[in-house]
Amino acid sequence: MLNVLTLSGPALSQVKTEEQIAAEKAWYGTEKVWLVHKDGFSLATLLKTEPGSLPEGTVKIRLESDGSLLDVDEDDVEKANPPSFDRVEDLSSLQYLNESSVMHSLRQRYGGNLIHTQAGPNMVVINPISAPSMYSEKVMHMFKGCRREDTAPHIYGVAQSAYRNLLTTRQDQSIVLLGKSGSGKTTNCQHLVQYLVTIAGSTGKTFSAEKWQAVYTILEAFGNSSTSMNGNASRFSHIVCLDVDQAGQVASASIQTMLLEKLRVTRRPEGESTFNVFYYMMAGADSVQFYGEEQRAFWLVLGAIYHLGAAGATKAGRKQFARHEWAQKAAYLLGCTLEELSSSIFKHQAKGTLPRASSIRQGTDDAAGDFSGSKATAMECLEAMASGLYSELFTLLVSLINRALKSSQHSLCSLLIVDTPGFQNPRLAKRERGATFEELCHNYTQERLQTLFYQRTFVQELERYKEENIELALDDMEPSTSLSVAAVDQAPSQVRTLRTDEARGLLWLMEEEALQPGGSEDTLLGRLFIYYGPAEGESKGHTLLLKSGKPHHFLLGHSHGTDWVEYDARGWLSHAKQNPASTNAGSLLQDSQKKNISGLFMSRGGGATSLSGSIAGLEGVSQLALRRATSMRKTFTTGVAAVKKKSLCIQIKLQVDALLDTVRRSRVHFIHCLLPNADALRAGRGELEAQGDSGDSGLMQLDVVLLRSQLRGSKLLDALRIYRQGYPDHMVFSEFCRRFDVLAPHLNKKLGRNYIVKDEKKAVEELLESLDLEKNGYHMGLSRLFFRAGTLAKLEEQRDEQTRHNITLFQAACSGYLARQAFKKRETHDLAIRCIQKNIKKNKGVKGWPWWKLFTTVRPLIEVQLTEEQIRGKCEEIQHLKGKLEKTEKERNEVRLNSDQLESRISELSAELADERNAGESTDTCTHSLLSRGEWRLKYERGIRETEFTKKRLQQEFDDMLETEQQSKRPLERKLTDLQADNDEVQRSVQQLKKKCSRLTAELQDTKLHLEGQQSRNHDLEKKQRKFDFEQSQAQDEVLRERTQREKLGRERDMMTGELFSLCQQLQDKDMELCAIQLKVEHLEAELKDLSSQESKDESSLSKTKKTFRDLEAKVKDQEEELDEQAGTIQMLEQAKLRLEMGMVSLRQTHSKDIDGKDEEVEEIRQSCSKKLKQMEVQLEEEYDDKQKVLRERRELEAKLLSAQDQVGCRDVETEKRLRKDLKRTKVLLADAQIMLDHLKNNALSKRETAQLKNQLEESEFTCAVAVKSRKGMEMEIEDLHIQMEEVVKVKMSLEEQVSRLQREKNDLQSRMEEDQEDMNELMKKHKAAVSQSARDLAQISDIQVQLEEAMKEKQEIQDKLQSLQSQLEFQEQSMVEKSLVSRQEAKIRELETKLEYERTQLKRLESLTGRLKENLEKMTEERDHRGNGENREKEQNKRVQRQMRDIKEEMAELSKKEAEASRKKHELDMDIESLEAANQSLQLDLKLAFKRIGDLQAAIEDEMVDSDGEDDLINNGDDLDTDSEVDSVDDVKSWLSKNKGSTKTLSAEGSLKSSRSVLSCWFASSFPS
């Protein structure tokens, strides 16, 4: 679950395990390929061969499965991708894009339960058979608001992408599902709807997931059934329309259905069922707001269809019901009498049987109608009535569903989901029957959708490139599915590339044949093959229509000829004939006596809910629904469709045209649903229901052949190739500038906000230069900018990041603005509160005034009366306007409906008028011929005689010409066959060359794309390098800036010290001035004393002077007390300063101790790491020496083995040759011996001796076989030794790789540790400098603070003194003292105040500086902690490396043991080989001697035979003697052979050869005495 839905990220995708890295290295070391064969594909390794060793176009491969070597055609080999691409999420990102690689990736993902795969802009979904748990509401919210590039492939991702495009572009979106029947299209459609309804939401939660589930439950009951391909197959096509409002919520919804397979109610293929509603109940009807009477009406109609099926119809004679009691029940349920029901079914009028249609064959409507009416049997009429009732019921069902889903809210755009029945092929389900006409209709719909996919993916893209002057090197694309589509729906006016001017599609031919008196399925198929079948001598590969071996059957190639379906055309003409019983079904329901049925169907009448009886669900209230209905009606009322819309066959084409016209107006997203295997069909039919969610393991495996045909039919590989090579994303210049100018803010600042762009292309070029995009990633067209795949997504991601940053800044600005506004508001509130308080105070003053009481009582009553009158007037105005609005809305809807009805009525009247004109013309011709029949009879008879005479003459001439033409035709036919054979051979070679060329171009394009990807990566790395350099330069600038700031602070500190010194000087001056003032005071006191001594003044002046004297004394005492207090505070401040200085000194000491401790720890760590590195270097050197020793020993062993193998091989070959020659010679000698024995037998030898000789011959052959067997055993042991040596070599190579990897890791660790050490040293230096600087700054700041506090205290004292002096000065002014001293003191006071303010500002700046220094200190401590963690990780990595080294040592020890055992076995084998060689040589010598003796023996025997033939007398006389000698000689041979047998069994025993030699010599001596 997690691996399916984990969000993809670049950081996670780049992390690779050691196994993946090793697998990629192994893959890059060998060239892996796919061998393509009929059963699938196999992984193999491409081997390098010498030039000329293989035929041209042939390569040598080794299969990975069994290691076998094969020589295959290079066209059957495709390149394989690295293992990291096995489960790639997007098939367009494959390094080598070919069919086998795509199927391998799909198979790997499917095996891991990853059923969704991205294929460029499209989605591929493989039906999992069992429903996985990946469609929950939690998963839906994971995809909400995400882009397609940020999430794993999922069906919700497609829905989210469509929804996102709808909100950004305000353009209609549509999702089309393609695939075979049973591939899961309807299930995925339900998932799409549930996701969109859940994520988008709706106003008031009108459209819930439960409601849509109920809708689909009802639709599946009435429109689905069980088929041979699927257990729950949809038997109709439908479009789900979700109308979205301005806020992105679902405002309204509707469903349009078409191509309902209504005949399934009465007639269906063998083994298939009717619709599910006849087996299930109407679940979900209450959720979709079906009322009780409406549900009862449904049950009544369904019950009537049941009873009509039970009633049956007569097969011969009069057309009537077979069982009237069941027909009576059906009539009761329908609300009519039995006579009305019977007349509606069996006694219809001929004028409604079949509408008039244009045909090249002449015939009137009445004749066609009578003919078709006479052909219809009673059972066909009954079936037509049942299917008509069900069709009306289904149309009503869709109408009621749309009633529950409709809404009158305003909608902006729509999102459409198209679901149609999939491709039907009975052969895939192992059924022997042919496909039906309904299956042809569904296949035709799928073909049209495939054509739409081809046009959107290939044709429109190439046309856009051509319009924008973009050159794109693409392979020749295969034609679309237009040939198979044309064979079905080609109209007479669409003839372009066909052979005859009368060519038309199957649907048009069915209509014409149904109207003709002699029309049949044979003539239908004959005309079809004339138009579209292969011509004589034409190969079958050039057409998509072939004849079948069965009668009335034909083959049609769907999906670009990859899916051939055999159709059974028997009874197809009945589908083109309109049975009046089906049209009478609607009027029967509308005229029903039951009010619930008549009212329900009468309200749906008038053609508002269905179009020509074909498309249901066209009712709607929203503006978008009405627009869709109007466009569909135009499809049925324009051109040929206006005349042919009543034809049953042409209605099929018109329905599909309306579907495609609706989809073409939107941006289409395609989902390809794939069927995993043929067993899935049986699983879908319910045979594997017991398996549950787990499913069978066999079902999780893909059928490669079926998957290959689906991929080829859908043209997915071609779509991926044009997506990779082309520019799938494009944007208009103005839109690009508007959307991405946020990424270049410097351009906006340069040009300004109100700048009007005159040259958009130039502006785009400037923007691209500022964005620094790679030039391969985009292309400038004439009016658009085209992007490679993924480039626009990167720009969108950058834009989102920049937008988030801008929004953050905007939020900060808004927060500041709101805070300021709130402050202003608080100020306003404060002012208002003060005003209220003032008003309350005033109110208290006038509260008891009578006139005020009267005013406050009367004033509200006047205002209330005025406001009530105004409200009543406004309400009346609103009601009047509402009435006008409703009236205009009703009038507009009525006018719109009337216009639609009038348009349809006009088209119907025009069709009827054309029919009437044709009928009038035919009637005029008939009446004219009847009037002039008598006059023209003679001329007619004479013309017949002349015609017969000319016919005979022309027949004779034709026969003569035919004979001459046949004689000249034979050599031409021979030449034609030869030319056709040559042409076929040339075409095959051309096809092979095209295939090879396409393969090579595909590989070249893949290589180019890979190169472009590498270039883009290099470009990104260069950008990152530039960014890093820029950041580094910024950091250096920041360091320089900090240095300048420190220098500036030092200068400011010096200035402050100077200012402090000047302040101290000024204070001293003030003290001196104070002393002078005290002297003056004393002088004044002396004067007062003098004045007091004057006794001549009166008592009043004396009392005044005493009073002033007392006042002055009190002031002096007060000043003395204040001075004492100031002196005390100065002492306290000095003590606090001393305490702070002592605390700073202690803090410095502790900090220096901590730094020293950290330095010691870092030094210890560095020393330990260096020791460990040295130990690892020593271990690596030892292991390297051991490895060199092992390599030397291995080379020596290999050299010894090779030499021994060569010696043994050469010796064995030579000995084998010699043994074979000796065996042949012995066989010849033994044959001679057999002849001799026969001769001896004729000469009365015993049978026992002959048998003994034969046994001895077999024993000698057995010895040869034992020798050959022993040689083979030696060869097998040597091969085993070779295999062991190869394994040892492989293990050694792996160990060498591990050692080299460890060496690299060691070097990396050393470099990292050196870098970390350097960084650590730099950080420690910076840390120390910062700490010392901060300590100095803190000391200076503390000093400055103390000085400032003292200055503040002194200022306060001076102010107090000044106050006292001012009072004294006032007194002195009265005493006529000079004012100049006072003004000077005031100026000095002002100067002191300005200096104090300046010191305050300096203090604030110093505080901010200390804050920054503290932050830097914290950052340095964090970096130090980070370095400590890094050192811990390096320690752990060193431990892991040591463990790996120990494991490698143990493996080396085991390998050394294995090598010792191998060398010991080799030594033993060498000893065995030497002993066997010695024995072999001795045996060869003995055999040579024995063969020489046998040759001499044979020569002697022949001489003796000649002598015996020449001397008959000697033989007769010495008969007894000869027989004795012959018997003795035979016994000697037996004894020699028996001893030779024993010697062969013990080849290594000594003395066997000597005994054989002695026996032979004795036998020679006894047999041939000298």
Side-chain angles (χ1 to χ4, degrees), residues 1455-1500:
L1455 286 173
S1456 61
K1457 290 179 183 178
K1458 289 182 180 179
E1459 283 184 353
E1461 282 184 341
S1463 61
R1464 185 174 54 78
K1465 288 181 180 179
K1466 178 179 176 297
H1467 182 66
E1468 291 176 357
L1469 287 171
D1470 290 336
M1471 296 295 291
D1472 294 335
I1473 288 167
E1474 290 175 359
S1475 62
L1476 288 171
E1477 285 177 354
N1480 194 7
Q1481 289 176 0
S1482 62
L1483 282 172
Q1484 287 176 0
L1485 293 172
D1486 295 338
L1487 282 171
K1488 286 180 181 179
L1489 183 60
F1491 286 141
K1492 187 176 181 182
R1493 297 287 179 87
I1494 289 169
D1496 296 337
L1497 175 62
Q1498 188 177 5

Side-chain angles (χ1 to χ4, degrees), residues 32 411 453 628 1372:
K32 300 292 183 182
S411 52
F453 171 71
R628 285 192 295 271
Q1372 288 177 0

